[in-house]
């Protein structure tokens, strides 16, 4: 079995474990597969099980995103709001992660 097939199976196992229903071959699954493949190529022992805690956080974030669509009236307004939330919030979520990594790093390693 090739590495590409293995990571594709890992992504399928992860989505099955999480109970996620997705379209066949979603682009996001390819990104996850490529990331796992790269991590393995760099010698990291990483598989789909390593991503479960992150998937749980992503699941929670996705639910929060969709909760923001409740007040949108029609499907077009919901779609517009969904795009705006994704485009505008994604960089902020990454930045928040970096801020909290800095915070916890200072707490754990005493440099702040």
């Amino acid at each position: 079995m090739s590495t590409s097939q293995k990571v594709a199976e890992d992504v399928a196992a992860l989505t099955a474990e999480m109970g996620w229903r997705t379209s066949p071959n979603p682009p996001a699954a390819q990104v996850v597969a490529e990331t796992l493949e790269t991590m393995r190529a760099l010698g990291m022992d990483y598989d789909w099980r390593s991503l479960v805690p992150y998937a749980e956080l992503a699941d929670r974030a996705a639910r929060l995103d969709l909760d923001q669509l409740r007040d949108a009236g029609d499907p077009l307004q919901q779609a517009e709001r969904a795009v705006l939330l994704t485009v505008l919030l994604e960089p902020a979520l990454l930045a928040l992660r970096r801020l909290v990594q800095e915070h916890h790093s200072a707490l754990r390693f005493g440099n702040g």
Side-chain angles (χ1 to χ4, degrees):
M1 176 183 304
S2 73
T3 304
S4 294
Q5 288 172 317
K6 174 64 176 135
V7 294
E9 287 181 5
D10 273 4
V11 174
L14 175 63
T15 57
E17 174 73 16
M18 296 302 299
W20 294 343
R21 294 182 308 189
T22 63
S23 59
N25 303 314
Q30 183 61 36
V31 172
V32 174
E34 289 170 0
T35 301
L36 285 173
E37 192 168 15
T38 300
M39 293 175 87
R40 288 181 185 162
L42 294 171
M44 294 183 72
D45 185 23
Y46 230 75
D47 68 4
W48 69 269
R49 289 170 197 83
S50 306
L51 292 177
V52 168
Y54 294 98
E56 290 169 344
L57 291 170
D59 189 271
R60 187 168 169 215
R63 289 170 191 260
L64 289 169
D65 289 345
L66 293 175
D67 286 348
Q68 300 294 313
L69 304 180
R70 279 188 286 212
D71 297 332
D74 60 69
L76 179 58
Q77 190 179 25
Q78 285 181 333
E80 288 173 346
R81 188 174 291 179
V83 169
L84 287 174
L85 283 169
T86 299
V87 170
L88 296 176
L89 278 181
E90 195 162 287
L93 293 174
L94 289 172
L96 287 169
R97 181 178 181 209
R98 288 184 184 104
L99 286 170
V100 78
Q101 284 173 338
E102 180 181 340
H103 164 74
H104 285 289
S105 218
L107 291 176
R108 286 184 186 200
F109 305 113
N111 60 355

